[in-house]
């Protein structure tokens, strides 16, 4: 069975600092990997995704993530945090060969950005 | 505007009451999903549908029912509300061609007292 582990339920950074949100996954087959962002009182919005090809994936709002198969990781980074990045971030995995997507989500990491 | 809409936004139920959470998408997506989100627990899949007339259970289906009579609509039914069903419910959809991006509605916050 697939699973996702997000290390740290809360991460605090200062505005302008590096953002690093950690995600490790478990999958018996090649995975599709996703990061979703949830702003307060809103639904989830896709930030970026890895399906095949280049392992460094760029998303919206300056975020990027790197798929590292040997480490079973898909950490999310942003070089310089902005106040508007404060939100909850979810990592998710689905199996690449099912032809139908069933996402398994991590428990989420809340990013706090201080001035 | 391509969208997933959910109604109501908020609801308080008494134990044993029933209600239907509505979900509609206007993107002609075949695949639709219902999730619940509990604090610190991430999202759990309740039910999903691969097209009109076809539904299947997800990870946490007990206490819920769904139907899919049209491509656009995927209502979630709670028959006998219990406090354990207090949660935020999200509907999502994706198309058959690009089955890797799910579009989420704004959610329904349900409290069962």
């Amino acid at each position: 069975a697939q699973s996702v582990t997000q290390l740290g339920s809360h991460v605090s950074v200062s505005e302008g600092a590096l953002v690093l949100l950690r995600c490790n996954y478990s999958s018996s087959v090649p995975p599709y990997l996703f990061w979703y962002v949830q702003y307060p009182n809103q639904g989830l919005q896709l930030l970026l995704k890895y399906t095949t090809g280049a392992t460094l994936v760029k998303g919206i709002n300056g975020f990027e993530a790197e798929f590292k198969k040997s480490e079973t990781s898909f950490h999310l980074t942003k070089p310089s945090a902005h106040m508007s990045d404060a939100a909850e971030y979810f990592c998710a995995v689905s199996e690449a060969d099912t032809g139908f997507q069933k996402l398994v989500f991590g428990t989420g990491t809340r990013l706090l950005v201080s001035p | 505007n391509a969208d997933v809409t959910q109604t109501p936004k908020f609801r308080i139920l008494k134990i044993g009451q029933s209600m239907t959470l509505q979900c509609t998408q206007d993107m002609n997506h075949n695949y639709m999903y219902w999730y619940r989100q509990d604090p610190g627990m991430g999202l759990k899949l309740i039910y999903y549908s691969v097209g009109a007339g076809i539904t299947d259970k997800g990870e946490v289906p007990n206490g819920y029912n769904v139907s899919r009579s049209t491509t656009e609509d995927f209502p979630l039914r709670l028959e006998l509300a219990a406090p354990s069903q207090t949660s935020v419910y999200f509907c999502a959809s994706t198309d058959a061609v690009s089955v890797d991006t799910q579009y989420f509605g704004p959610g329904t916050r349900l409290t069962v007292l």
Side-chain angles (χ1 to χ4, degrees), chain B residues 6-22:
Chain B
Q6 292 183 239
T7 56
K9 284 185 168 47
F10 304 94
R11 184 71 185 269
I12 298 175
L13 283 182
K14 294 182 179 179
I15 295 172
Q17 287 185 321
S18 62
M19 76 165 294
T20 299
L21 283 67
Q22 301 292 345

Side-chain angles (χ1 to χ4, degrees), chain B residues 44-75:
Chain B
K44 301 290 186 183
L45 181 64
I46 305 172
Y47 270 94
Y48 65 95
S49 170
V50 302
I54 306 170
T55 62
D56 206 349
K57 296 177 181 179
E59 187 181 357
V60 289
N62 291 344
Y64 307 94
N65 279 299
V66 294
S67 60
R68 184 94 181 272
S69 57
T70 67
T71 299
E72 294 79 20
D73 300 308
F74 190 40

Side-chain angles (χ1 to χ4, degrees), chain A residues 34 36 38 49 90 100-101, chain B residues 31 33 37 100-102:
Chain A
F34 308 81
Y36 280 85
Q38 183 180 32
K49 63 188 178 190
F90 292 93
F100 166 65
Q101 184 194 70
Chain B
Y31 303 101
Y33 309 79
Q37 183 183 30
D100 59 0
T101 299
Q102 292 191 13

Side-chain angles (χ1 to χ4, degrees), chain A residues 32 34 36 38 41-44 46 49 51 88 90 99-103 105-108, chain B residues 31 33 35 37 40-43 45 48 50 90 94 98-102 104-106 109:
Chain A
Y32 289 167
F34 308 81
Y36 280 85
Q38 183 180 32
N41 300 313
Q42 293 186 27
L44 278 68
L46 182 68
K49 63 188 178 190
T51 54
E88 188 144 22
F90 292 93
F100 166 65
Q101 184 194 70
K102 287 170 67 175
L103 290 176
F105 285 87
T107 53
Chain B
Y31 303 101
Y33 309 79
Y35 295 92
Q37 183 183 30
M41 297 296 291
L43 278 75
L45 181 64
Y48 65 95
V50 302
F90 290 101
T94 189
S98 177
V99 290
D100 59 0
T101 299
Q102 292 191 13
F104 284 80
R109 186 175 296 274

Side-chain angles (χ1 to χ4, degrees), chain B residues 25-44:
Chain B
Q25 52 90 9
D26 61 4
M27 296 172 279
N28 202 34
H29 286 170
N30 283 325
Y31 303 101
M32 297 188 73
Y33 309 79
W34 274 106
Y35 295 92
R36 58 177 289 170
Q37 183 183 30
D38 300 313
M41 297 296 291
L43 278 75
K44 301 290 186 183

